[in-house]
């Protein structure tokens, strides 16, 4: 008795439809989404500090919010780093 045999008929069908191509597509779109987040939260030099463009609201040499150091909490989360 394998774990496959324990699964329901519906689960067998779902897993059969979920082939390696789907997994590759999911991995690719997931990777692309992470790249878009990293592009938003890119570093920029501001007043001698490296800050996050997105978190600081940086544009045209000034920030809308208080400057947030880069890597910011979002980048640290993507890198599996503790944010505390
Ligand atoms: Zn950020």
């Amino acid at each position: 008795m394998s774990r496959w045999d324990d699964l329901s008929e519906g689960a067998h069908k779902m897993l059969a439809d979920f082939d390696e191509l789907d997994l590759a597509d999911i991995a690719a779109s997931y990777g692309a989404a992470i790249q878009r987040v990293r592009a938003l939260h890119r570093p920029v030099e501001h007043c001698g500090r490296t800050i996050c463009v997105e978190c600081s609201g940086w544009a045209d040499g000034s920030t809308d919010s208080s400057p947030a150091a880069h890597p910011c909490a979002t980048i640290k989360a993507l890198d599996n780093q503790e944010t505390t």
Side-chain angles (χ1 to χ4, degrees):
M1 191 78 165
S2 70
R3 295 185 64 187
W4 175 261
D5 294 325
D6 292 338
L7 295 173
S8 71
E9 200 57 44
H12 283 170
K13 171 139 186 23
M14 192 186 82
L15 286 169
D17 290 345
F18 195 71
D19 63 18
E20 288 174 19
L21 207 62
D22 292 331
L23 280 175
D25 280 352
I26 291 164
S29 65
Y30 185 66
I34 288 176
Q35 286 309 310
R36 286 194 294 273
V37 172
R38 286 188 184 280
L40 277 176
H41 291 265
R42 65 191 179 279
V44 66
E45 289 297 320
H46 177 74
C47 299
R49 296 172 59 199
T50 304
I51 63 168
C52 171
V53 166
E54 180 70 9
C55 294
S56 308
W58 186 89
D60 300 325
S62 67
T63 61
D64 291 340
S65 323
S66 358
H70 193 281
C72 65
T74 301
I75 293 296
K76 284 180 178 173
L78 286 178
D79 289 344
N80 290 322
Q81 292 176 24
E82 295 295 325
T83 54
T84 51

